[in-house]
Amino acid sequence: MEPGSRRGHEQQLVNRIAVDAYHTAASLLLKSGDAPSAWISAERSMAAARRVGDPAAIATASRILTHAVAAVGHCRQGVGVAVRGADEVSAAVNSSQPDMVAVFGALLLRGAWAASAANDRDTASALLDEAERAAALMEESNRRWTAFGPNNVLLHKLTIALTLGDAGKALVEARRVKVRTLAVAERRAVFWTDVARALHACGRTQKATTALLAAEREAPQEVRSRRVVRELIGELLTRDRRGQAPLLRPLASRAGIPL
């Protein structure tokens, strides 16, 4: 290999690593609640993806950028990032490249979530439908750390119904999810957490507590550290003044929530 060609190859490798490294950094920042810093990391992931020029890298970076932009509060702008990214890479999606299908489908799901946060039901529905078509090209998996597959699409339908304020529909969608086949424990915890949120919205405190306990069994850190879950536990405590959900207070104690 000629020196110039070798340097070019090494630079491409550095850029590919940068796509994933900045993606990981943005994900961790989002989990810790620092959305502005996550946006910066996601922009750097996208810049590296552009230098690589690979559709899978562009889809991966578009996904985390969509999440970060929406998390800052610019949900419609986040939808735009997802739609443009999906349009750009869609020609590369086919059943012979499951990794590409996975990152493309995960991007569509993140766009659907951003649309629901913007209360754009039509766009959320359209993106979910497109993600469902992509999921039909592959089996449940955790390719490229996306956990994308048919059940993950169903999980997002539950989450998005809840985001749009339809707890009853969310519970209907929950019955369709085969939770044990979700490829990642964190996703199974998200399922049970969303079920708990829907049950809480319907005034079913004891069943909501049971769902949170199921989430804790799957991924304790998700229940004990995520702000949205801690807030839910606090709301359940406020509602359950008579102590009719006896397992709620030990759960709150484990999550470090004052009783």
Side-chain angles (χ1 to χ4, degrees):
M1 185 181 293
E2 295 296 325
S5 176
R6 185 183 300 112
R7 284 194 296 272
H9 175 75
E10 290 173 351
Q11 188 59 53
Q12 280 293 84
L13 180 59
V14 168
N15 286 328
R16 287 185 180 277
I17 292 170
V19 173
D20 291 335
Y22 282 121
H23 185 288
T24 300
S27 296
L28 292 172
L29 288 163
L30 286 167
K31 280 183 176 291
S32 66
D34 189 354
S37 296
W39 191 348
I40 294 171
S41 290
E43 287 279 13
R44 291 175 178 173
S45 180
M46 178 58 78
R50 292 287 177 209
R51 292 192 293 271
V52 171
D54 174 58
I58 291 169
T60 296
S62 295
R63 174 191 174 205
I64 193 62
L65 184 57
T66 297
H67 193 167
V69 169
V72 171
H74 302 303
C75 296
R76 294 190 183 280
Q77 186 177 343
V79 175
V81 171
V83 170
R84 288 190 297 272
D87 286 345
E88 183 175 352
V89 305
S90 60
V93 178
N94 62 74
S95 59
S96 67
Q97 298 187 58
D99 281 4
M100 185 64 225
V101 175
V103 293
F104 176 71
L107 170 59
L108 293 171
L109 291 178
R110 186 53 60 188
W113 165 79
S116 70
N119 201 33
D120 185 346
R121 293 174 179 268
D122 291 342
T123 301
S125 179
L127 290 171
L128 281 172
D129 288 345
E130 193 170 352
E132 197 162 36
R133 288 191 290 272
L137 299 175
M138 63 184 296
E139 297 179 353
E140 210 75 35
S141 73
N142 191 28
R143 288 183 176 274
R144 295 293 295 265
W145 306 284
T146 62
F148 182 72
N151 255 323
N152 199 14
V153 175
L154 294 176
L155 172 58
H156 277 75
K157 287 186 175 184
L158 155 62
T159 301
I160 286 168
L162 196 55
T163 303
L164 289 169
D166 195 340
K169 182 179 179 181
L171 291 174
V172 171
E173 295 290 357
R175 297 187 186 101
R176 301 174 61 204
V177 179
K178 297 176 182 176
V179 63
R180 297 312 312 169
T181 68
L182 290 168
V184 179
E186 180 183 9
R187 298 292 174 139
R188 297 194 292 273
V190 167
F191 167 81
W192 287 115
T193 299
D194 282 350
V195 169
R197 291 169 59 205
L199 289 167
H200 171 54
C202 294
R204 297 156 72 179
T205 301
Q206 293 185 58
K207 288 191 174 182
T209 300
T210 300
L212 281 178
L213 291 170
E216 185 186 37
R217 287 193 294 272
E218 294 289 357
Q221 71 281 1
E222 287 295 302
V223 173
R224 298 172 189 175
S225 62
R226 285 184 64 204
R227 178 180 57 82
V228 65
V229 184
R230 291 169 57 83
E231 289 176 354
L232 174 59
I233 294 172
E235 291 171 9
L236 289 169
L237 284 170
T238 299
R239 177 176 287 178
D240 188 42
R241 296 186 182 279
R242 297 183 180 180
Q244 293 180 328
L247 297 177
L248 177 58
R249 279 153 184 78
L251 173 63
S253 179
R254 291 191 297 274
I257 297 171
L259 300 176

